[in-house]
């Protein structure tokens, strides 16, 4: 191809001329129905050929135009149908031209009006197809697209509205109602945004996993928990006493005891061993204890009383009586402290030793004394002198 020229403006027939090695070629299409338009001349300037004059002639049976030049090359220009919009098919108010390619094939080029551009052999505007969503109207303002949106939609392309982004949770379906939205919730879901469901309140305790089952729920419990809501575990019965804190330890429990308590279940304390004697009352005091003693007892553990010094002699039994004591004496002893007995008056004479025998006494006499109380001896004093008698 050596040169292309087009006759304009578009109100007149448009002729595209191509000079090739085989001579000039052209195709004509008119915006008006074909009628006698007389003779027109085209002036084609080419680097290889001086001015060439062409005449546009009317009237062949196949509705074509013949263009002849002064060098007697015949060029036939075709317009198969009488109207441009049908012949070009470039769209309303659009024109076209036909050019020869390097392979001597005819190619249609659409001449689009302002705001339109050629796409697949048709003039399309920025509003075709309509970029405005949700029923918005597309308008061109200085070749720029602008969408006029219907309420309640907004955005550059009317793409935003009550349902954008989707406010309905849990795969709920959003519908626009007036200027607001309404969620159609799946079974078991409810709420304005379908946000409520059987697991919303997190009914599964102790890290149990809540699963939706139909219109209800089911809990998958972690060991050692069980129950409908995983509420039962080693600490359910509150095994830790005295305000001890129960902690899960594997599949069992462990108690954190508050001082001064201790033990597996915090059941032991400083008073557990009953340190207060003689019915004294044990009181927790800090991390230790204090005894409230009943009279007549006293001491840190109420260990001191009237019988502490063991006042009852001779194996007498000391009994508390009021704020004092009483001795239960073993026969033959008697007296406040069981201190008196058959030997109390020392009935054995002459250094005889008094021994308890039953409920009476017996004297062990030193020689030469004898008798019940060692009162007799074997020495007889007379006028003739002193005599010592021995008995065999």
């Amino acid at each position: 191809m050596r040169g292309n020229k087009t006759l304009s403006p578009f109100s007149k027939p448009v002729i595209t001329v191509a000079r090739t090695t085989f001579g000039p070629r052209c195709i004509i299409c008119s915006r008006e129905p074909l009628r006698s338009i007389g003779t027109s001349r085209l002036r084609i300037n080419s680097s290889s050929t001086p001015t060439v004059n062409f005449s546009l002639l009317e009237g062949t049976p196949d509705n074509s135009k013949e263009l002849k030049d002064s060098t007697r090359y015949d060029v036939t220009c075709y317009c198969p149908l009488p109207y441009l919009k049908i012949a070009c098919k470039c769209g309303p108010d659009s024109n076209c031209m036909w050019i020869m390619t390097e392979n001597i094939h005819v190619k249609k080029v659409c001449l689009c009006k302002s705001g339109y551009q050629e796409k697949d052999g048709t003039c399309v505007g920025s509003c075709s197809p309509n970029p405005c969503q949700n029923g918005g109207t597309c308008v061109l303002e200085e070749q720029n697209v602008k969408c006029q949106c219907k309420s309640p939609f907004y955005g550059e392309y009317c793409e935003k509205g009550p349902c954008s982004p989707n406010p309905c949770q849990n795969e709920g379906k959003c519908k626009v109602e007036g200027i607001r939205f309404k969620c159609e919730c799946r079974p078991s879901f409810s709420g304005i945004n379908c946000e409520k469901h059987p697991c919303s309140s997190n009914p599964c305790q102790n890290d149990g996993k809540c699963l939706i089952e139909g219109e209800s729920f089911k809990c998958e419990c972690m060991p050692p928990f069980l129950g409908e809501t995983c509420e039962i575990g080693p600490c359910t019965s509150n095994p830790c006493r005295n305000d001890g804190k129960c902690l899960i330890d594997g599949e069992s429990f462990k108690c954190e005891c508050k001082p001064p308590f201790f033990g597996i279940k915090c059941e032991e304390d400083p008073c557990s061993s009953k340190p207060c004697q003689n019915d004294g009352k044990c009181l927790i005091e800090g991390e230790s204890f204090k005894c409230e003693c009943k009279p007549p007892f006293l001491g840190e553990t109420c260990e001191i009383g009237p019988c502490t010094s063991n006042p009852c002699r001779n194996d007498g039994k000391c009994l508390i009586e009021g704020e004092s004591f009483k001795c239960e004496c073993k026969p033959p002893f008697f007296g406040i402290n069981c201190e008196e007995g058959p030997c109390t008056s020392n009935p054995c004479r002459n250094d005889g030793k008094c021994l308890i025998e039953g409920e009476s006494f017996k004297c062990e006499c030193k020689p030469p004394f004898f008798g019940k109380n060692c009162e007799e001896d074997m020495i007889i004093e007379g006028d003739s002198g002193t005599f010592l008698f021995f008995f065999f």
Side-chain angles (χ1 to χ4, degrees), residues 19 23-24 52-55 67-75:
R19 274 188 81 81
V52 180
N53 295 324
F54 294 89
S55 297
L67 188 65
K68 294 183 178 181
D69 65 8
S70 58
T71 59
R72 297 185 182 277
Y73 286 106
D74 291 337
V75 179

Side-chain angles (χ1 to χ4, degrees), residues 58 60 113 146 150 157 159 165 184 193 196 235 238 251 292 304 311 314 384:
E58 288 272 2
T60 57
K113 66 180 181 179
K146 183 177 181 181
K150 290 183 177 180
Y157 298 104
E159 75 280 8
E184 290 184 353
N193 300 91
K196 297 179 181 179
C235 289
N238 192 21
E251 296 195 5
E292 282 187 354
I304 301 173
N314 299 305
S384 301

Side-chain angles (χ1 to χ4, degrees), residues 28-47:
I28 176 173
C29 289
S30 176
R31 297 181 62 186
E32 302 294 334
L34 290 176
R35 60 182 181 273
S36 178
I37 58 176
T39 301
S40 298
R41 291 189 178 278
L42 297 175
R43 183 177 295 276
I44 298 179
N45 295 320
S46 174
S47 61

